[in-house]
Amino acid sequence: MTQHASPPRDSTGKVPSAGAPPAWRGHLARADVRTLSLLGVLAVLVLIGGITKPDEFLDTRNLQLVLTQASVIGVVTVGMTFVIISGGIDLSVGAIVALASVWATTVATQEYGFVGILFTAVIVGVGCGLVNGMLIAYGAMVPFIATLAMLASARGLALQITDGKTQIVTIPSVLDLGERDAYVLGIPPLVMVFAVVTIIGWLVLNRTTFGRRTVAVGGNAEAARLAGIDVRRQRLYLYLLSGLCCGIAAFLLIILAGSGQNTNGNLYELDAIAAAIIGGTLLSGGRGTITGSVLGVLIFTTITNIFALNNLQSDVQQIAKGAIIVAAVLVQRRTASTT
């Protein structure tokens, strides 16, 4: 008896009709639309800033400041994007940045100079990420609970280390990176670090097996396990990555502020999650882009800058951010229901 080969099916299990474009083209088209939409929003914000405060907003120094401020939270957001794509969440990123920044600026650490501060910031971030990853991946704890516990613990330890005092950095090689003399072609060193982290993050997510496994775990963890992916180990690596980004961000914040404080990184977790969401990353996991998240960071930073230049209160800024987050989630749900 002759057996006939079954017709090829797409990712939804349906048989594509003759002449229908591949499914990946539809996903790519939607990603392009999201990116163009975010660029449009950013362009509108720049236009608003240019109209309301043309002399201040369009000044080169102010634009450099916007990019510099975006760099710190931007690095955190890159790590957060990976975690959310995998179906997880990390509420401890702001507290980890605070802990890493104060641990790296103690008198004992500063005795080792530039390398000592950088190494300490990174290793503290990775260490906290390791604890989160072990609790979630191998301790079977819910990410929300595990990272909430880390948030409280890291904030408490940061306060204990500083005793509520600001730790001033005295290493010239660190402080000099925040000066205009260190700019390369008008670009601050912090922005260049952010650009490098963004490019590496994009390549890892879109061009490596690690990125494909991250998306697979977020889309369907059980299916990923059956396909041979070690889901627990992948989740551990993702929280290590988030911790690494927090350590790098802490070092950038040290350069920017010239000090370490237990209040550093306040609400970074909300800003990073919000930037990822409006950038198109699904809270349920399985989809997201580094490009969209970076544009989300730039949008929020630009909004904050415009509000500050126009002397609007911080509570108005928070209300605006909240409205943007709600709108982004509603758009996500509408998009999901029509695809």
Side-chain angles (χ1 to χ4, degrees):
M1 183 175 180
T2 304
Q3 293 183 346
H4 298 282
S6 59
R9 300 175 182 269
D10 60 16
S11 58
T12 64
K14 299 178 180 179
V15 179
S17 59
W24 63 266
R25 290 188 181 178
H27 293 303
L28 184 61
R30 287 193 291 272
D32 288 340
V33 170
R34 285 194 298 270
T35 301
L36 290 175
S37 299
L38 291 171
L39 286 172
V41 171
L42 186 59
V44 170
L45 289 174
V46 172
L47 182 62
I48 293 173
I51 293 175
T52 57
K53 291 288 182 178
D55 295 334
E56 294 96 336
F57 181 79
L58 297 177
D59 183 73
T60 302
R61 289 176 179 250
N62 182 64
L63 296 177
Q64 290 172 335
L65 175 63
V66 171
L67 291 175
T68 301
Q69 292 175 337
S71 298
V72 180
I73 185 62
V75 171
V76 174
T77 302
V78 170
M80 180 70 80
T81 301
F82 276 90
V83 171
I84 297 178
I85 290 175
S86 72
I89 198 73
D90 192 346
L91 301 179
S92 64
V93 290
I96 294 176
V97 169
L99 179 59
S101 69
V102 300
W103 207 323
T105 54
T106 61
V107 174
T109 303
Q110 291 195 50
E111 291 180 356
Y112 294 93
F114 182 99
V115 175
I117 292 177
L118 174 59
F119 176 79
T120 302
V122 170
I123 204 67
V124 169
V126 172
C128 291
L130 176 63
V131 173
N132 280 337
M134 291 297 292
L135 290 175
I136 294 167
Y138 295 96
M141 287 188 68
V142 177
F144 181 90
I145 300 300
T147 57
L148 187 62
M150 176 58 73
L151 183 156
S153 301
R155 282 288 179 194
L157 184 54
L159 178 59
Q160 186 177 55
I161 291 174
T162 61
D163 195 25
K165 300 175 183 178
T166 300
Q167 299 178 162
I168 305 299
V169 176
T170 59
I171 308 300
S173 57
V174 174
L175 298 174
D176 289 345
L177 290 176
E179 300 295 330
R180 294 187 63 83
D181 292 340
Y183 290 10
V184 178
L185 299 176
I187 302 175
L190 275 68
V191 177
M192 290 188 286
V193 172
F194 177 34
V196 170
V197 171
T198 298
I199 292 171
I200 293 175
W202 187 91
L203 291 173
V204 170
L205 181 61
N206 296 282
R207 294 292 184 268
T208 68
T209 303
F210 182 87
R212 291 191 290 273
R213 288 175 178 173
T214 299
V215 175
V217 169
N220 189 322
E222 181 60 20
R225 185 187 67 81
L226 294 175
I229 297 175
D230 191 330
V231 175
R232 293 191 298 178
R233 184 172 62 186
Q234 184 70 16
R235 285 175 174 161
L236 173 61
Y237 288 162
L238 287 165
Y239 282 94
L240 283 173
L241 176 60
S242 180
L244 172 62
C245 289
C246 289
I248 296 173
F251 183 70
L252 297 183
L253 192 57
I254 291 171
I255 295 172
L256 184 62
S259 62
Q261 304 177 57
N262 66 285
T263 56
N264 282 344
N266 187 37
L267 296 181
Y268 271 20
E269 56 277 358
L270 297 183
D271 288 343
I273 293 171
I277 291 173
I278 71 171
T281 301
L282 289 180
L283 275 175
S284 56
R287 192 185 78 191
T289 67
I290 298 298
T291 303
S293 296
V294 169
L295 289 174
V297 170
L298 293 176
I299 288 172
F300 272 129
T301 308
T302 304
I303 290 174
T304 301
N305 183 259
I306 292 174
F307 279 24
L309 291 177
N310 286 277
N311 298 318
L312 296 176
Q313 298 297 324
S314 59
D315 54 350
V316 180
Q317 298 180 30
Q318 298 303 323
I319 293 172
K321 287 183 179 180
I324 292 173
I325 295 171
V326 171
V329 173
L330 290 176
V331 170
Q332 279 191 2
R333 292 184 62 182
R334 183 177 178 83
T335 302
S337 64
T338 57
T339 55

